[in-house]
Amino acid sequence: MGLNTIDAKMFANMFLAGAKNLENKKEWINELNVFPVPDGDTGTNMSMTMMAAAKEVAAIENPDMASLAKAVSTGSLRGARGNSGVILSQLCRGFAKVIKEYDELTVPILAAACDKAVRTAYKAVMKPKEGTILTVARGASKRADDLAMAGEEDLEVFIREVIKEAEIVLSQTPEMLPVLKQAGVVDSGGQGLVEALKGGFDAFLGKESDFSLNMETKAGSAGVNSNIEAQANVEIKFCYCTQFLIMTEQELSQTREMEFKNFLSSIGDSIVVVADEEIVKVHVHTNEPGLALQRALQYGQLTNIIIENMRLERDEKVSDMMEKEMQRVPEAKEPEHKDTGFIAVSAGDGINGIFRSLGVDDIIEGGQTMNPSTEDILTAIDRINADNIFIFPNNKNIILAANQAKQLTTDKNIIVIPTKTVPQGITAIINYVPDISAEENEAVMCQEAEHVATGQVTYAVRDTELDGRKIRRGDFMGIGDSGLLSVGTDLQETAFDMLQGMMRDGFELISIYYGADVEESAARELADRVKAAFAGCDVELQSGGQPVYSYIVSAE
């Protein structure tokens, strides 16, 4: 006869196993991102959200269902990152609301908990989209309810059937979202949910699992926010960022170029090979830069060789972030109270400087490459002694976390301006008027932000097809507010083509923010070309210093 109840100890083990399975599969889930950009982070966001709750669960010495429910709910809410992480935290929150009332879980209780989880998550999303984690969760919940109504009592049968239904719905997500079908992937958030459920089921079945979590904190990091810890734990598979130019005597043939790219693929990733008539630009992340240079010598002479140790750069960045964070800690007196404060999510010294010059009180390091958690945002809120605090997420994947922080704050009036890009955030805060109310400012800033068109240029990390365009690994992509605008092997051309696709009648100002990987001279060449092509617009060039995105361009 099968098992009919789950006690607190077993539930704790199931949750921990689910979190660890999600952690183990996060990189694979990241690769399911529709856009083949280097910051596909659904798996990372979901894993960090669930691990935050798992640490709370693991810290309970003698758990009962009520204490576990509180740990799951609180931990996931405060640790939530990105849209997928926030939705996962809401599923956890709804589930916890039901199970906290019981000492043991049965099929009917689990079915009711699944239903509450789905309703809570759907309520948290303003415009739920089908073909996502929400759809997978709803399908699983519907199957759970059907089994409970049919009188099923065996939990092994129940859980197996619920996961089976989740996998069926997941397989159908490409039919619900055409962009998934075009990219040849299932929904990454839905896949993350399935992996968490599978991990929990393995623990239920008694499969050998290590339920311990690494609770150690790196020396000197006590009190440092989780975003810094996340940066420190980022795995760097290939250590050396290697860049150089090959000066060829004759144009590199397509066959030889492909052979060279295949060789680089065998020793590294993040490969960009752009061949011109007499010059080939090469970029690769590898542990063996000497092999890349040796092979390149077969094609010509080498120049402009740059080899950077990304692990050392990461460690220096983390050290700098920790130093800045710890400098805040010893402040003896309360900051002066004021009526209004501002928080912006930003990455890049140049962009950070722009926000500070506009009066932003607190910069949360993050954005495309690292979505801050709800906890990070709450910490920033606590640092500002103001009655009203405006938050500029500047990324569509951070808006839900900001709203969640708002809901968890009771002593201050939090206003989230739903800016989806950095240029939207800059325009919004420029339009702040001190002499009108917070509500009036919210309306004005939201309206002005909507008038800003944004494009961002990055590179592809895998081959795919989007919007009818074939994209090869290493190609540059210009991504606009509504999707892909340009693809090419030349960064400057791709950026210019993207801007042409963004432009509309009535635009008067074009702003170009060049990233950490772009030389100022190249950025100026692009700006001059834009000035000539759009003579009726003012063109501003700024050093953004942002990672991953070589250019961020706005028009308004």
Side-chain angles (χ1 to χ4, degrees):
M1 184 175 179
L3 192 64
N4 294 342
T5 61
I6 294 173
D7 62 17
K9 183 177 180 181
M10 179 179 286
F11 176 73
N13 287 343
M14 290 174 69
F15 190 87
L16 295 176
K20 295 194 79 168
N21 193 51
L22 183 55
E23 170 75 10
N24 292 337
K25 302 290 180 60
K26 66 181 180 183
E27 293 302 334
W28 170 56
I29 295 168
N30 284 342
E31 291 176 3
L32 297 175
N33 192 37
V34 170
F35 278 101
V37 294
D39 64 333
D41 52 7
T42 298
T44 300
N45 284 340
M46 293 184 72
S47 173
M48 294 183 75
T49 298
M50 199 163 180
M51 289 299 284
K55 287 183 178 181
E56 298 283 339
V57 168
I60 303 174
E61 292 185 5
N62 298 303
D64 56 26
M65 210 63 76
S67 63
L68 289 175
K70 182 178 180 181
V72 167
S73 180
T74 303
S76 62
L77 281 174
R78 299 183 75 91
R81 296 173 185 270
N83 290 347
S84 55
V86 172
I87 292 172
L88 178 61
S89 74
Q90 292 296 324
L91 289 170
C92 290
R93 179 187 176 207
F95 192 91
K97 283 183 178 179
V98 173
I99 67 169
K100 69 179 181 180
E101 304 294 337
Y102 301 91
D103 295 325
E104 294 183 323
L105 306 180
T106 62
V107 166
I109 293 171
L110 287 172
C114 288
D115 177 67
K116 183 66 172 178
V118 170
R119 288 191 286 114
T120 302
Y122 265 92
K123 186 178 179 180
V125 180
M126 186 175 296
K127 295 180 180 179
K129 185 180 293 186
E130 295 309 318
T132 66
I133 180 177
L134 289 171
T135 312
V136 175
R138 189 180 64 197
S141 176
K142 176 64 167 57
R143 181 61 176 148
D145 185 61
D146 289 344
L147 289 166
M149 293 293 290
E152 181 61 62
E153 296 181 354
D154 189 326
L155 282 165
E156 181 176 342
V157 174
F158 172 80
I159 299 173
R160 179 177 285 111
E161 287 298 312
V162 168
I163 294 176
K164 182 180 178 181
E165 182 64 22
E167 290 182 304
I168 291 172
V169 176
L170 176 65
S171 70
Q172 296 170 345
T173 55
E175 302 302 323
M176 304 177 202
L177 277 178
V179 68
L180 294 176
K181 188 172 185 178
Q182 190 177 34
V185 295
V186 296
D187 178 67
S188 53
Q191 186 72 64
L193 178 61
V194 167
E195 296 309 317
L197 294 174
K198 283 183 175 180
F201 189 41
D202 283 346
F204 175 85
L205 294 175
K207 293 185 179 180
E208 187 173 343
S209 299
D210 177 11
F211 300 117
S212 64
L213 293 176
N214 180 13
M215 303 293 289
E216 295 180 3
T217 302
K218 287 182 169 56
S221 65
V224 180
N225 73 46
S226 55
N227 194 32
I228 298 176
E229 182 181 353
Q231 292 276 5
N233 291 331
V234 170
E235 180 183 359
I236 297 178
K237 182 179 180 181
F238 296 106
C239 181
Y240 298 102
C241 176
T242 305
Q243 302 178 66
F244 54 89
L245 298 179
I246 308 173
M247 300 174 65
T248 60
E249 294 183 0
Q250 59 184 11
E251 187 174 356
L252 197 66
S253 69
Q254 188 172 1
T255 300
R256 299 193 78 193
E257 180 182 343
M258 186 55 63
E259 288 175 352
F260 186 41
K261 286 182 177 179
N262 289 338
F263 172 76
L264 294 178
S265 296
S266 71
I267 63 170
D269 65 6
S270 299
I271 296 160
V272 178
V273 176
V274 181
D276 204 346
E277 291 182 0
E278 298 177 350
I279 295 178
V280 181
K281 182 177 181 180
V282 181
H283 173 281
V284 60
H285 292 173
T286 178
N287 291 325
E288 301 173 289
L291 293 181
L293 297 175
Q294 186 176 358
R295 176 59 68 95
L297 283 169
Q298 297 180 12
Y299 308 111
Q301 299 181 56
L302 307 186
T303 185
N304 290 32
I305 299 172
I306 302 173
I307 301 175
E308 298 174 321
N309 188 320
M310 294 187 293
R311 290 197 183 102
L312 288 179
E313 288 183 347
R314 186 271 314 277
D315 293 344
E316 289 172 0
K317 178 180 179 182
V318 170
S319 177
D320 183 57
M321 291 171 68
M322 289 178 64
E323 183 178 350
K324 290 178 180 178
E325 183 74 15
M326 297 305 286
Q327 285 174 353
R328 296 188 180 107
V329 175
E331 294 180 359
K333 61 180 182 179
E334 181 84 3
E336 184 179 351
H337 178 268
K338 56 183 180 177
D339 179 70
T340 304
F342 303 95
I343 296 171
V345 180
S346 173
D349 291 341
I351 292 174
N352 291 349
I354 292 171
F355 277 118
R356 290 192 182 97
S357 71
L358 293 173
V360 169
D361 299 277
D362 205 297
I363 301 288
I364 301 176
E365 288 282 344
Q368 296 285 36
T369 53
M370 177 59 68
N371 296 152
S373 68
T374 300
E375 179 71 28
D376 293 331
I377 300 171
L378 288 169
T379 300
I381 290 171
D382 288 340
R383 284 195 291 257
I384 300 176
N385 186 11
D387 297 326
N388 303 290
I389 299 177
F390 289 89
I391 300 177
F392 305 92
N394 300 331
N395 186 298
K396 65 180 180 181
N397 209 32
I398 302 174
I399 294 172
L400 282 180
N403 282 324
Q404 193 149 277
K406 173 182 178 177
Q407 293 170 4
L408 294 172
T409 302
T410 57
D411 60 337
K412 299 172 183 176
N413 179 33
I414 306 300
I415 306 104
V416 177
I417 306 299
T419 50
K420 297 178 181 178
T421 66
V422 163
Q424 284 189 348
I426 291 172
T427 294
I429 195 168
I430 285 174
N431 283 277
Y432 172 75
V433 179
D435 296 332
I436 62 177
S437 68
E439 293 74 19
E440 290 171 312
N441 268 304
E442 178 182 9
V444 170
M445 287 192 281
C446 287
Q447 183 179 27
E448 293 301 323
E450 289 179 356
H451 295 159
V452 180
T454 306
Q456 303 178 86
V457 182
T458 186
Y459 60 91
V461 295
R462 69 169 188 274
D463 294 349
T464 189
E465 183 174 335
L466 283 174
D467 300 335
R469 300 172 187 254
K470 289 186 177 181
I471 302 171
R472 293 187 179 277
R473 181 179 176 180
D475 282 351
F476 294 107
M477 302 179 296
I479 303 170
D481 295 323
S482 301
L484 194 65
L485 293 176
S486 62
V487 177
T489 57
D490 183 273
L491 173 61
Q492 302 291 92
E493 289 295 329
T494 305
F496 186 77
D497 291 346
M498 177 191 72
L499 181 57
Q500 286 185 309
M502 291 166 47
M503 294 302 290
R504 300 194 298 267
D505 291 340
F507 281 154
E508 299 175 346
L509 173 64
I510 297 172
S511 300
I512 302 172
Y513 306 87
Y514 61 95
D517 63 332
V518 178
E519 295 290 338
E520 182 180 356
S521 57
R524 290 197 178 280
E525 287 179 9
L526 177 63
D528 290 341
R529 184 178 178 185
V530 171
K531 289 177 182 177
F534 302 98
C537 292
D538 291 330
V539 178
E540 294 183 352
L541 180 66
Q542 304 273 5
S543 173
Q546 69 274 4
V548 179
Y549 286 80
S550 300
Y551 287 108
I552 297 176
V553 181
S554 67
E556 53 187 299

